[in-house]
Amino acid sequence: MSGILYLVATPIGNLKDITLRALETLKEVSAIICEDTRRTRILLNHYQIRKPLIAYNEHNKFTQTPKIIAILKKGENLALVSDAGTPVISDPGYYLVREAIKEGIKVSPVPGPAAMIAGLIISGLPSDRFVFEGFLPKREGRKRKRLLNLINEERTIIFYESPYRIMRTLKTFLEIFGDREIALCRELTKKFEEVLRGKISEIIEILNKKLEKEERIKGEIVIVMKGKEE
């Protein structure tokens, strides 16, 4: 009988944001599949969990997936985690989950933190209907094409963005969507958690002032943007 592939949500920042069931699962599985073994080991060391780690990322997913499926088919239970938050959302875990399902292997969620939900609930923007767009394409042409398809979207829109591209992305937002309300959430659940709320132009001005003071913009960013007015 095949083992179970557990999808275990881990903290997005504060290591205390982990469920009892997640800790129990990580302690009981045969091995843990993770994107970055160094980051996952920080969490495991904090909770004194000693388990073999299997590196799984965009570069090796095609070679690693058959090996992982073979382990599961032997009856071993495995846990899949992401670098932070809920696995499969904006990470290569989707491919593994899809292949496991094709092979008739049970996939079980161990729910917990997700940066997109954390950003949405503190944004102050409508949360009854929303759409998650994840990371935008790095190439400007592809990014603009994706954004142009969202001009008439009435639901709240959530994006992930890198601190290195945030200024360029906000300027593109302003050009395409106009001066809409957004919430820019950075370092969520960490010591220097910051939420900037206001019009896109206002947030650009705030970030420009930071850069003028030679303050680096750090941490992964969640952008929550108000949808088009009906």
Side-chain angles (χ1 to χ4, degrees):
M1 187 175 178
S2 295
I4 300 171
L5 176 61
Y6 290 100
L7 310 183
V8 181
T10 55
I12 60 175
N14 193 316
L15 294 181
K16 294 179 182 178
D17 292 336
I18 191 165
T19 68
L20 294 174
R21 182 170 170 234
L23 289 174
E24 183 180 83
T25 303
L26 293 175
K27 290 175 182 177
E28 291 180 352
V29 294
S30 299
I32 298 168
I33 308 157
C34 56
E35 234 179 314
D36 187 330
T37 56
R38 294 167 298 179
R39 294 188 65 170
T40 299
R41 197 164 273 120
I42 292 171
L43 174 68
L44 299 181
N45 287 343
H46 184 80
Y47 287 104
Q48 299 180 343
I49 299 173
R50 303 285 182 266
K51 290 290 175 180
L53 299 181
I54 302 172
Y56 189 86
N57 51 56
E58 282 291 345
H59 305 293
N60 69 7
K61 65 182 182 182
F62 297 115
T63 55
Q64 286 287 69
T65 296
K67 298 175 185 177
I68 293 170
I69 296 294
I71 295 171
L72 289 162
K73 284 190 170 182
K74 290 179 182 177
E76 302 283 348
N77 294 333
L78 300 176
L80 171 67
V81 301
S82 68
D83 284 348
T86 300
V88 184
I89 297 175
S90 291
D91 79 20
Y94 162 74
Y95 183 79
L96 175 60
V97 170
R98 186 184 66 181
E99 296 305 304
I101 292 170
K102 285 181 182 177
E103 295 293 330
I105 293 167
K106 182 178 179 180
V107 179
S108 181
V110 182
M116 55 178 283
I117 298 299
L120 175 65
I121 62 176
I122 63 172
S123 69
L125 296 173
S127 57
D128 54 334
R129 297 169 64 239
F130 62 91
V131 56
F132 175 62
E133 284 292 317
F135 284 100
L136 290 166
K138 293 180 182 179
R139 293 184 181 178
E140 195 64 23
R142 291 180 181 179
K143 178 192 290 186
R144 293 178 69 86
K145 184 177 180 181
R146 173 92 70 85
L147 295 176
L148 286 167
N149 287 332
L150 294 169
I151 283 182
N152 294 316
E153 177 57 67
E154 296 177 354
R155 294 170 292 182
T156 298
I157 311 170
I158 307 171
F159 303 92
Y160 286 165
E161 189 52 286
S162 157
Y164 307 108
R165 296 190 296 271
I166 185 61
M167 289 300 290
R168 188 170 58 189
T169 294
L170 288 179
K171 289 174 183 177
T172 305
F173 278 9
L174 185 59
E175 180 186 343
I176 291 176
F177 297 111
D179 211 4
R180 290 193 193 179
E181 287 184 55
I182 65 168
L184 188 149
C185 311
R186 190 180 64 82
E187 297 280 78
L188 287 174
T189 77
K190 298 179 182 178
K191 182 178 180 180
F192 298 106
E193 177 179 284
E194 180 180 43
V195 183
L196 304 176
R197 302 179 182 89
K199 299 287 187 180
I200 297 173
S201 61
E202 294 170 342
I203 305 303
I204 290 174
E205 186 177 348
I206 292 170
L207 295 183
N208 271 328
K209 287 179 180 178
K210 285 179 177 286
L211 293 173
E212 286 171 4
K213 295 177 182 177
E214 296 186 349
E215 294 181 25
R216 286 180 58 197
I217 301 169
K218 299 179 182 178
E220 294 296 338
I221 295 168
V222 180
I223 307 169
V224 185
M225 182 171 64
K226 191 173 184 179
K228 182 181 178 181
E229 296 286 352
E230 294 184 19

